[in-house]
Amino acid sequence: MYTQGLDQADTAAPSPEEEVQLRDAFQARIDAEEKIEPRDWMPEDYRRTLVRQISQHAHSEIVGMLPEGNWLTRAPSLKRKAILLAKVQDEAGHGLYLYSAAETLGTSRQEMLDQLLSGKAKYSSIFNYPTLNWADIGAIGWLVDGAAIMNQIPLCRCSYGPYSRAMVRVCKEESFHQRQGYEIMTVMARGTDEQRQMAQDALNRWWWPSLMMFGPSDGDSAHTAQSMAWKIKRFTNDELRQKFVDVTVPQAHFLGLEIPDPDLALDEETGHWCFGEIDWQEFKQVLSGNGPCNAERLGARRSAHEEGSWVRQALLAHADKQRERSSAHEAA
Amino acid sequence: MTTCDQKDLFTYVLRLGDSGLVLGQRLSEWVGKAPMLEEEMALANMALDMVGQARNFLSYAGEVEGRGRGEDALAMHRDVGSFSNLLLVEQPNRDFAYTMVRQYFYASFAERLFEQLQHSADSRLAGIAAKAVKECRYHARHSGLWLVRLGDGTEESHQRVARALEDLWPYTGELFEMDEVDRRLLEAGVAADVQAMRTEWREALNQVLVEARLPLPSDEIWMHSGGRIGRHSEHLGHLLATMQILPRSYPDANW
């Protein structure tokens, strides 16, 4: 599949001395808060890190449509159905921008999709949990998109130009998603007893997986230090997680819902909410494919891909025929 | 305000709303299953347009009826026999070819219908139609392009789209039916003359099919009818069961 000719493999590899110079100049540009653009020289590990991160992000948008799709046909009012349709459409759009941003680094959308479908590429662990009642759609907007925003706002200042620009637009839409989720929760928390139970049940199930979205603790995070030096990342996982907890706990209290953490307590001195230990075993299991819906989600993506194969073939065949006809026409 | 029978107007607007709603529901079943990311967006976009049109029509129908039923009461608390959508739009998605043929048949019709309704003597109806016409024009173009690509694509895609055309064709007669309600409202300058659009709709279809290298359907085929008066296929009950599950299970709840 065609990608822009940005793959650096064709150019002669720099000598070790040149490489050191190039790296120093590159880091100096990063330190000066300059944006790195697709045609600029960049270390191979910077490129790889970005492709990994951007494609994981794109995959998360695409897989993230599935738990919501589970409720689209059962949205309880036409207004909710319309909002949810607009939301999944935004997510498909985010997926497209992000694949395009990653393509500027020389990896094609097809390669990235193949990695997703083969199970090699990761996507956010959160989407391997099931959506079991309508309040889950509220909880996903409120907590999952809320956590995503915490992660993504700093990415608007990421050193790689195309990614940072894509994130500006993505963040605007995410903030609308977060608000509509909280609004669903508000209506449910103030609704009938049954709705209130659904809201609490959703919070119980989504709280801890949402905290896991920020990734491993700083001590266990393999990529944090280098990503921060390259200004791909601006805050550590734990910093962002704490920020999320501090913002979200009062929102839950405002709804009269209980956070499912007996250790949760406000530290009067720092103003931060202290929270209990995350079940890292569960996190690892979900990441390694053993979450409640891993097989389901990957299966859904694979079957959409396989069942759509004849459509994509038709598209290519038609384009070929068109080309042949127009060149035959020109020759005549 | 127009001088027409409010019951007629209710029936007329409800039919438009029901067709939009049922087609929107069908399209939303595609989310997460589209053949490519661009189509994931296009299908969700068309679903959203149809649901949006349905909301406008159903809200207005509820106002005309004057019994306090809003869009959700009409969408969620009626059963199969009270739905008055076209049979075409309740037909299942089956595959991408069926979905695109169904979309083309409906959108190319709705585009012409709303073009006329923009000038309806009923200003509310005219306003809703003016917005909807742009959406349906885009849907017709999008699905028409797919008919060409599939018809002129591979052997498999050609066969699939040809079968979809053959299977869905008998549901197109109903698009152009007019009963007493339509005739009275047409006389009052409120409704559109759908019978008069049939030739133009057919010519546009023929153009697409010629480009798609697909056979033109015969006019001698028997056409199904009944959706507009509540006689449906078996498919509609399942669609409603899914769509209405929450409001039916928790009738006291607001969402």
Side-chain angles (χ1 to χ4, degrees):
Chain A
M1 182 168 259
Y2 175 81
T3 53
Q4 281 175 279
L6 304 165
D7 199 324
Q8 306 289 307
D10 293 344
T11 54
S15 69
E17 297 81 39
E18 282 168 343
E19 169 95 19
V20 170
Q21 282 175 1
L22 283 165
R23 274 187 174 261
D24 286 348
F26 176 81
Q27 190 61 48
R29 289 187 62 198
I30 301 255
D31 294 342
E33 298 286 335
E34 276 181 45
K35 291 278 179 251
I36 306 301
E37 297 299 334
R39 288 177 183 280
D40 298 344
W41 185 89
M42 62 186 84
E44 273 316 298
D45 36 356
Y46 177 84
R47 182 187 302 278
R48 261 199 314 276
T49 300
L50 275 168
V51 170
R52 192 191 66 241
Q53 182 171 337
I54 301 173
S55 64
Q56 279 177 8
H57 190 167
H59 299 330
S60 302
E61 298 282 356
I62 304 311
V63 176
M65 294 167 72
L66 298 171
E68 291 175 325
N70 183 40
W71 281 93
L72 249 182
T73 53
R74 293 178 291 167
S77 72
L78 298 189
K79 179 181 145 197
R80 295 288 176 209
K81 193 187 292 293
I83 292 173
L84 193 54
L85 273 167
K87 184 172 190 273
V88 297
Q89 197 189 338
D90 286 349
E91 282 154 359
H94 296 174
L96 267 181
Y97 304 148
L98 288 163
Y99 284 127
S100 304
E103 282 191 314
T104 64
L105 292 157
T107 305
S108 72
R109 198 207 303 184
Q110 191 55 52
E111 286 172 77
M112 292 183 267
L113 275 180
D114 289 345
Q115 286 172 351
L116 172 68
L117 297 176
S118 72
K120 197 176 152 222
K122 299 265 183 277
Y123 53 86
S124 181
S125 58
I126 194 87
F127 300 118
N128 292 315
Y129 291 87
T131 48
L132 301 177
N133 80 57
W134 172 252
D136 288 30
I137 299 304
I140 286 181
W142 173 35
L143 302 174
V144 176
D145 293 322
I149 293 170
M150 290 285 168
N151 265 323
Q152 289 169 7
I153 285 186
L155 287 174
C156 298
R157 293 189 292 131
C158 156
S159 59
Y160 187 57
Y163 192 28
S164 76
R165 289 188 289 273
M167 292 318 296
V168 172
R169 182 153 173 196
V170 168
C171 280
K172 280 185 194 152
E173 293 176 349
E174 290 294 353
S175 112
F176 158 74
H177 297 170
Q178 199 268 348
R179 283 201 303 273
Q180 68 83 35
Y182 192 66
E183 203 240 328
I184 290 179
M185 293 304 274
T186 309
V187 171
M188 304 245 342
R190 293 179 183 162
T192 64
D193 288 348
E194 283 153 323
Q195 285 177 300
R196 199 172 175 72
Q197 275 168 27
M198 290 182 205
Q200 183 63 56
D201 174 47
L203 175 57
N204 292 348
R205 284 179 290 106
W206 290 94
W207 174 253
W208 289 107
S210 298
L211 297 194
M212 293 175 198
M213 282 177 71
F214 296 93
S217 258
D218 294 350
D220 301 316
S221 174
H223 307 295
T224 294
Q226 181 61 75
S227 284
M228 289 192 65
W230 280 332
K231 298 193 178 171
I232 294 173
K233 236 172 142 155
R234 298 272 176 170
F235 300 98
T236 69
N237 295 352
D238 286 335
E239 283 168 347
L240 290 168
R241 189 167 11 243
Q242 184 64 53
K243 213 167 154 187
F244 173 75
V245 172
D246 290 342
V247 168
T248 310
V249 170
Q251 293 174 344
H253 290 163
F254 180 75
L255 296 178
L257 297 176
E258 198 184 327
I259 303 270
D261 179 358
D263 297 327
L264 191 76
L266 183 66
D267 181 334
E268 299 283 353
E269 240 166 68
T270 61
H272 292 304
W273 285 90
C274 304
F275 52 95
E277 183 65 17
I278 290 171
D279 182 350
W280 293 114
Q281 200 49 41
E282 176 181 325
F283 177 66
K284 276 184 202 140
Q285 286 300 326
V286 176
L287 272 193
S288 60
N290 298 321
C293 295
N294 291 60
E296 193 104 25
R297 302 290 184 239
L298 209 50
R301 285 315 318 157
R302 280 181 188 146
S303 83
H305 188 75
E306 281 158 20
E307 280 162 30
S309 144
W310 68 270
V311 178
R312 296 189 301 276
Q313 281 166 11
L315 188 63
L316 293 176
H318 173 65
D320 284 346
K321 286 182 186 175
Q322 290 283 79
R323 242 191 321 274
E324 276 165 30
R325 280 179 206 128
S326 75
S327 56
H329 182 76
E330 273 165 30
Chain B
M1 279 304 282
T2 48
T3 51
C4 67
D5 187 287
Q6 294 298 289
K7 249 173 113 176
D8 281 353
L9 185 58
F10 173 70
T11 303
Y12 189 77
V13 179
L14 188 67
R15 284 171 175 172
L16 295 173
D18 284 349
S19 284
L21 177 58
V22 171
L23 186 53
Q25 179 73 4
R26 278 284 181 240
L27 289 167
S28 72
E29 292 169 8
W30 267 103
V31 166
K33 303 186 180 81
M36 61 196 82
L37 199 43
E38 286 79 357
E39 280 318 291
E40 202 66 79
M41 287 184 77
L43 287 159
N45 189 4
M46 291 192 288
L48 181 57
D49 288 343
M50 296 318 297
V51 172
Q53 291 175 20
R55 294 183 66 193
N56 290 333
F57 284 126
L58 293 179
S59 303
Y60 184 40
E63 286 171 42
V64 170
E65 186 192 34
R67 286 171 48 200
R69 292 201 282 181
E71 56 181 58
D72 287 322
L74 288 169
M76 302 297 189
H77 294 281
R78 283 180 301 143
D79 212 338
V80 173
S82 312
F83 264 78
S84 55
N85 58 280
L86 298 161
L87 294 173
L88 173 70
V89 297
E90 72 197 46
Q91 299 310 306
N93 293 338
R94 296 198 200 277
D95 67 11
F96 190 72
Y98 265 82
T99 300
M100 285 299 131
V101 169
R102 187 185 63 201
Q103 196 65 28
Y104 181 79
F105 282 164
Y106 180 78
S108 170
F109 159 75
E111 174 189 352
R112 291 171 171 79
L113 167 66
F114 294 142
E115 247 160 41
Q116 274 199 24
L117 282 184
Q118 294 182 87
H119 310 295
S120 168
D122 185 289
S123 60
R124 279 288 293 283
L125 202 50
I128 301 172
K131 181 170 182 289
V133 69
K134 294 180 202 128
E135 296 166 348
C136 292
R137 195 174 291 141
Y138 163 75
H139 300 176
R141 205 178 62 199
H142 185 78
S143 52
L145 276 171
W146 271 111
L147 260 51
V148 172
R149 292 172 189 142
L150 297 179
D152 184 43
T154 61
E155 182 71 32
E156 182 182 3
S157 70
H158 182 88
Q159 275 173 16
R160 282 182 187 252
V161 72
R163 203 187 57 208
L165 269 172
E166 198 183 319
D167 289 357
L168 290 170
W169 181 248
Y171 295 100
T172 57
E174 198 188 15
L175 305 180
F176 305 100
E177 278 178 13
M178 290 180 77
D179 61 9
E180 286 307 310
V181 171
D182 297 289
R183 286 205 189 86
R184 284 194 295 268
L185 289 176
L186 177 61
E187 218 156 281
V190 172
D193 186 351
V194 288
Q195 260 169 12
M197 297 169 194
R198 192 168 191 162
T199 313
E200 199 192 297
W201 176 87
R202 180 63 203 253
E203 278 165 8
L205 170 70
N206 287 355
Q207 264 184 24
V208 170
L209 295 183
V210 166
E211 209 189 328
R213 289 152 171 84
L214 285 162
L216 307 185
S218 154
D219 288 321
E220 307 303 314
I221 303 270
W222 171 257
M223 291 286 173
H224 298 293
S225 172
R228 292 169 10 110
I229 53 164
R231 280 210 294 274
H232 291 277
S233 63
E234 289 179 347
H235 304 297
L236 186 62
H238 297 276
L239 179 144
L240 296 184
T242 303
M243 184 176 81
Q244 298 178 338
I245 177 76
L246 282 174
R248 295 280 191 156
S249 307
Y250 306 97
D252 302 328
N254 288 309
W255 305 91

